[in-house]
Amino acid sequence: GEIYEVGFKYNPTQRLAINGAIYDTVEKNRLAASNDPSNPFASSQIGQVRIRGAEIEVIGKVTPDFDLIGSYSYISAKVETGDNAGKSVEGVPANQASLWGKYRLGALGLRDVTVGAGVRYIGASYEETNTYTIPSYTLFDMMVAYDPGKYRLQLNVNNIGDERYVAACYARGDCYYGLGRTILGTATYRF
């Protein structure tokens, strides 16, 4: 495969950062799930695919204790040669976006504690023959962290509402739900 990418980082003020990139990827002999019902775990080479896209992220410090982070990406992923030429690459949504806010509880005397919440949007995608559309979905997440300097304790909850959504489908007829509510605790020590 080959990839070409151009990106930028722009900080017009100390309170605002804008990051972006555009890219063009060509991948030859890409593997995909086979449509053979007698061997559902087999893979086959689908030929050449081209994935082009752009992404942007904006990070803003709204107040000394409140940060807002937003991102958006657009992806055009098409099969260029082989049996599925002209079709979208399976499982790759054209649009994805997120918005995340983090607040340090300094005003409450808890300067080492940060809470945050966010929303993620994953756009519609297709299975490999493009006959079935995998619907878009939106998920909500949250976090709380304690970071006094030498160590950091953090708790993340993804998909707070335990939303049921279809994350992937295959032409052979099976679909899979995405992850339900996930709670992850981490401890980090800096030395």
Side-chain angles (χ1 to χ4, degrees), residues 22-54:
I22 57 173
Y23 53 89
D24 185 356
T25 303
V26 175
E27 186 178 338
K28 297 178 182 174
N29 301 319
R30 181 184 177 97
L31 288 178
S34 173
N35 293 333
D36 182 0
S38 67
N39 190 359
F41 300 107
S43 295
S44 62
Q45 292 179 339
I46 60 171
Q48 179 173 299
V49 299
R50 172 166 256 143
I51 302 171
R52 294 177 175 160

Short mmCIF file of all heavy atoms in Angstrom, two decimals, residues 22-54:
data_model
loop_
_atom_site.label_atom_id
_atom_site.label_comp_id
_atom_site.label_asym_id
_atom_site.label_seq_id
_atom_site.Cartn_x
_atom_site.Cartn_y
_atom_site.Cartn_z
N ILE A 22 -5.29 15.76 5.78
CA ILE A 22 -5.94 15.12 4.65
C ILE A 22 -5.03 13.98 4.22
O ILE A 22 -3.81 14.06 4.37
CB ILE A 22 -6.24 16.09 3.49
CG1 ILE A 22 -4.96 16.77 2.99
CG2 ILE A 22 -7.27 17.12 3.89
CD1 ILE A 22 -5.14 17.60 1.74
N TYR A 23 -5.62 12.92 3.71
CA TYR A 23 -4.80 11.76 3.34
C TYR A 23 -5.42 11.02 2.16
O TYR A 23 -6.60 11.15 1.86
CB TYR A 23 -4.62 10.81 4.52
CG TYR A 23 -5.92 10.39 5.17
CD1 TYR A 23 -6.61 9.28 4.73
CD2 TYR A 23 -6.46 11.12 6.22
CE1 TYR A 23 -7.80 8.90 5.31
CE2 TYR A 23 -7.65 10.75 6.80
CZ TYR A 23 -8.31 9.64 6.35
OH TYR A 23 -9.51 9.28 6.93
N ASP A 24 -4.56 10.25 1.49
CA ASP A 24 -4.95 9.43 0.35
C ASP A 24 -4.16 8.13 0.46
O ASP A 24 -2.94 8.14 0.41
CB ASP A 24 -4.61 10.17 -0.95
CG ASP A 24 -5.10 9.45 -2.20
OD1 ASP A 24 -5.65 8.33 -2.07
OD2 ASP A 24 -4.93 10.00 -3.29
N THR A 25 -4.87 7.03 0.61
CA THR A 25 -4.26 5.72 0.79
C THR A 25 -4.71 4.78 -0.32
O THR A 25 -5.90 4.73 -0.64
CB THR A 25 -4.69 5.10 2.14
OG1 THR A 25 -4.34 6.00 3.18
CG2 THR A 25 -4.04 3.77 2.38
N VAL A 26 -3.78 4.03 -0.89
CA VAL A 26 -4.10 2.99 -1.85
C VAL A 26 -3.57 1.68 -1.27
O VAL A 26 -2.41 1.58 -0.90
CB VAL A 26 -3.47 3.25 -3.23
CG1 VAL A 26 -3.71 2.07 -4.17
CG2 VAL A 26 -4.01 4.53 -3.82
N GLU A 27 -4.45 0.70 -1.18
CA GLU A 27 -4.07 -0.61 -0.64
C GLU A 27 -4.39 -1.68 -1.67
O GLU A 27 -5.53 -1.78 -2.14
CB GLU A 27 -4.85 -0.87 0.66
CG GLU A 27 -4.45 -2.12 1.37
CD GLU A 27 -5.21 -2.30 2.67
OE1 GLU A 27 -5.73 -1.32 3.23
OE2 GLU A 27 -5.30 -3.45 3.12
N LYS A 28 -3.39 -2.49 -2.01
CA LYS A 28 -3.58 -3.56 -2.99
C LYS A 28 -3.74 -4.90 -2.27
O LYS A 28 -3.20 -5.10 -1.19
CB LYS A 28 -2.39 -3.63 -3.94
CG LYS A 28 -2.22 -2.37 -4.77
CD LYS A 28 -1.03 -2.43 -5.65
CE LYS A 28 -0.90 -1.10 -6.41
NZ LYS A 28 0.32 -1.02 -7.18
N ASN A 29 -4.50 -5.81 -2.91
CA ASN A 29 -4.72 -7.16 -2.37
C ASN A 29 -5.31 -7.16 -0.97
O ASN A 29 -4.94 -7.96 -0.12
CB ASN A 29 -3.42 -7.97 -2.40
CG ASN A 29 -2.87 -8.09 -3.79
OD1 ASN A 29 -3.62 -8.29 -4.75
ND2 ASN A 29 -1.57 -7.94 -3.94
N ARG A 30 -6.23 -6.27 -0.73
CA ARG A 30 -6.88 -6.16 0.59
C ARG A 30 -7.70 -7.41 0.87
O ARG A 30 -8.41 -7.92 0.01
CB ARG A 30 -7.78 -4.93 0.61
CG ARG A 30 -8.47 -4.72 1.94
CD ARG A 30 -9.42 -3.53 1.84
NE ARG A 30 -10.16 -3.34 3.06
CZ ARG A 30 -9.82 -2.48 4.01
NH1 ARG A 30 -8.75 -1.74 3.87
NH2 ARG A 30 -10.56 -2.36 5.08
N LEU A 31 -7.61 -7.90 2.11
CA LEU A 31 -8.40 -9.05 2.52
C LEU A 31 -9.77 -8.60 3.01
O LEU A 31 -9.90 -7.58 3.67
CB LEU A 31 -7.70 -9.83 3.63
CG LEU A 31 -6.46 -10.62 3.23
CD1 LEU A 31 -5.86 -11.28 4.46
CD2 LEU A 31 -6.79 -11.66 2.18
N ALA A 32 -10.78 -9.40 2.70
CA ALA A 32 -12.14 -9.15 3.17
C ALA A 32 -12.78 -10.49 3.48
O ALA A 32 -12.33 -11.55 3.01
CB ALA A 32 -12.95 -8.42 2.11
N ALA A 33 -13.84 -10.46 4.28
CA ALA A 33 -14.56 -11.69 4.61
C ALA A 33 -15.10 -12.32 3.33
O ALA A 33 -15.59 -11.64 2.44
CB ALA A 33 -15.69 -11.39 5.58
N SER A 34 -15.04 -13.63 3.25
CA SER A 34 -15.52 -14.36 2.09
C SER A 34 -17.04 -14.45 2.13
O SER A 34 -17.64 -14.47 3.19
CB SER A 34 -14.91 -15.76 2.08
OG SER A 34 -15.48 -16.53 1.05
N ASN A 35 -17.66 -14.51 0.97
CA ASN A 35 -19.12 -14.70 0.88
C ASN A 35 -19.49 -16.17 0.79
O ASN A 35 -20.64 -16.51 0.51
CB ASN A 35 -19.67 -13.95 -0.33
CG ASN A 35 -19.55 -12.45 -0.17
OD1 ASN A 35 -19.54 -11.95 0.94
ND2 ASN A 35 -19.44 -11.74 -1.27
N ASP A 36 -18.55 -17.07 1.00
CA ASP A 36 -18.77 -18.51 0.88
C ASP A 36 -19.46 -19.02 2.14
O ASP A 36 -18.86 -19.09 3.22
CB ASP A 36 -17.43 -19.21 0.70
CG ASP A 36 -17.56 -20.71 0.53
OD1 ASP A 36 -18.71 -21.21 0.55
OD2 ASP A 36 -16.53 -21.38 0.38
N PRO A 37 -20.78 -19.41 2.06
CA PRO A 37 -21.50 -19.87 3.25
C PRO A 37 -20.94 -21.17 3.82
O PRO A 37 -21.13 -21.47 5.00
CB PRO A 37 -22.94 -20.04 2.77
CG PRO A 37 -22.88 -20.06 1.29
CD PRO A 37 -21.60 -19.40 0.87
N SER A 38 -20.23 -21.97 3.02
CA SER A 38 -19.68 -23.22 3.53
C SER A 38 -18.42 -22.98 4.37
O SER A 38 -18.00 -23.85 5.12
CB SER A 38 -19.36 -24.18 2.37
OG SER A 38 -18.30 -23.64 1.58
N ASN A 39 -17.80 -21.80 4.24
CA ASN A 39 -16.62 -21.47 5.02
C ASN A 39 -16.71 -20.00 5.46
O ASN A 39 -16.04 -19.13 4.89
CB ASN A 39 -15.34 -21.72 4.22
CG ASN A 39 -14.10 -21.61 5.06
OD1 ASN A 39 -14.16 -21.33 6.25
ND2 ASN A 39 -12.96 -21.81 4.44
N PRO A 40 -17.54 -19.70 6.47
CA PRO A 40 -17.81 -18.31 6.85
C PRO A 40 -16.61 -17.57 7.43
O PRO A 40 -16.63 -16.36 7.53
CB PRO A 40 -18.92 -18.43 7.88
CG PRO A 40 -18.80 -19.80 8.44
CD PRO A 40 -18.26 -20.65 7.31
N PHE A 41 -15.54 -18.28 7.81
CA PHE A 41 -14.38 -17.62 8.39
C PHE A 41 -13.26 -17.39 7.37
O PHE A 41 -12.20 -16.88 7.72
CB PHE A 41 -13.85 -18.44 9.58
CG PHE A 41 -14.89 -18.60 10.65
CD1 PHE A 41 -15.51 -19.81 10.84
CD2 PHE A 41 -15.26 -17.53 11.44
CE1 PHE A 41 -16.48 -19.95 11.81
CE2 PHE A 41 -16.22 -17.66 12.41
CZ PHE A 41 -16.84 -18.87 12.61
N ALA A 42 -13.51 -17.74 6.12
CA ALA A 42 -12.50 -17.57 5.08
C ALA A 42 -12.40 -16.09 4.67
O ALA A 42 -13.34 -15.32 4.83
CB ALA A 42 -12.84 -18.42 3.87
N SER A 43 -11.26 -15.74 4.13
CA SER A 43 -11.04 -14.39 3.59
C SER A 43 -10.67 -14.51 2.13
O SER A 43 -10.20 -15.55 1.67
CB SER A 43 -9.90 -13.70 4.34
OG SER A 43 -10.25 -13.49 5.68
N SER A 44 -10.89 -13.44 1.39
CA SER A 44 -10.47 -13.40 -0.02
C SER A 44 -9.90 -12.03 -0.31
O SER A 44 -10.22 -11.06 0.38
CB SER A 44 -11.65 -13.71 -0.94
OG SER A 44 -12.65 -12.74 -0.79
N GLN A 45 -9.07 -11.95 -1.32
CA GLN A 45 -8.52 -10.66 -1.72
C GLN A 45 -9.52 -9.98 -2.64
O GLN A 45 -10.01 -10.57 -3.59
CB GLN A 45 -7.18 -10.87 -2.43
CG GLN A 45 -6.11 -11.38 -1.50
CD GLN A 45 -4.78 -11.60 -2.20
OE1 GLN A 45 -4.74 -11.75 -3.41
NE2 GLN A 45 -3.72 -11.63 -1.43
N ILE A 46 -9.81 -8.71 -2.32
CA ILE A 46 -10.85 -8.01 -3.09
C ILE A 46 -10.26 -7.05 -4.10
O ILE A 46 -10.98 -6.32 -4.75
CB ILE A 46 -11.83 -7.27 -2.17
CG1 ILE A 46 -11.11 -6.22 -1.31
CG2 ILE A 46 -12.59 -8.24 -1.30
CD1 ILE A 46 -12.05 -5.31 -0.56
N GLY A 47 -8.95 -7.01 -4.23
CA GLY A 47 -8.35 -6.10 -5.20
C GLY A 47 -7.81 -4.86 -4.53
O GLY A 47 -7.34 -4.89 -3.41
N GLN A 48 -7.91 -3.75 -5.21
CA GLN A 48 -7.34 -2.49 -4.72
C GLN A 48 -8.43 -1.60 -4.15
O GLN A 48 -9.50 -1.47 -4.74
CB GLN A 48 -6.63 -1.79 -5.88
CG GLN A 48 -6.01 -0.47 -5.51
CD GLN A 48 -5.19 0.09 -6.65
OE1 GLN A 48 -4.23 -0.52 -7.08
NE2 GLN A 48 -5.59 1.26 -7.14
N VAL A 49 -8.13 -0.96 -3.03
CA VAL A 49 -9.05 0.02 -2.45
C VAL A 49 -8.33 1.35 -2.31
O VAL A 49 -7.10 1.40 -2.17
CB VAL A 49 -9.61 -0.43 -1.07
CG1 VAL A 49 -10.38 -1.73 -1.18
CG2 VAL A 49 -8.52 -0.54 -0.03
N ARG A 50 -9.11 2.42 -2.35
CA ARG A 50 -8.56 3.77 -2.14
C ARG A 50 -9.38 4.40 -1.03
O ARG A 50 -10.61 4.42 -1.08
CB ARG A 50 -8.66 4.60 -3.41
CG ARG A 50 -8.29 6.06 -3.14
CD ARG A 50 -8.02 6.85 -4.39
NE ARG A 50 -6.56 6.98 -4.46
CZ ARG A 50 -5.87 6.95 -5.57
NH1 ARG A 50 -6.46 6.76 -6.71
NH2 ARG A 50 -4.57 7.10 -5.54
N ILE A 51 -8.65 4.90 -0.04
CA ILE A 51 -9.28 5.56 1.10
C ILE A 51 -8.75 6.98 1.17
O ILE A 51 -7.55 7.19 1.33
CB ILE A 51 -8.98 4.79 2.40
CG1 ILE A 51 -9.48 3.35 2.29
CG2 ILE A 51 -9.61 5.50 3.60
CD1 ILE A 51 -9.06 2.44 3.41
N ARG A 52 -9.65 7.92 1.00
CA ARG A 52 -9.30 9.34 1.07
C ARG A 52 -10.10 9.97 2.19
O ARG A 52 -11.25 9.62 2.41
CB ARG A 52 -9.66 10.04 -0.24
CG ARG A 52 -8.87 9.58 -1.42
CD ARG A 52 -9.34 10.26 -2.66
NE ARG A 52 -8.49 9.91 -3.79
CZ ARG A 52 -8.86 10.02 -5.04
NH1 ARG A 52 -10.05 10.49 -5.35
NH2 ARG A 52 -8.03 9.67 -6.00
N GLY A 53 -9.49 10.92 2.85
CA GLY A 53 -10.24 11.54 3.93
C GLY A 53 -9.62 12.82 4.44
O GLY A 53 -8.52 13.21 4.03
N ALA A 54 -10.34 13.42 5.34
CA ALA A 54 -9.90 14.64 6.00
C ALA A 54 -10.43 14.61 7.42
O ALA A 54 -11.52 14.07 7.68
CB ALA A 54 -10.42 15.87 5.27
#
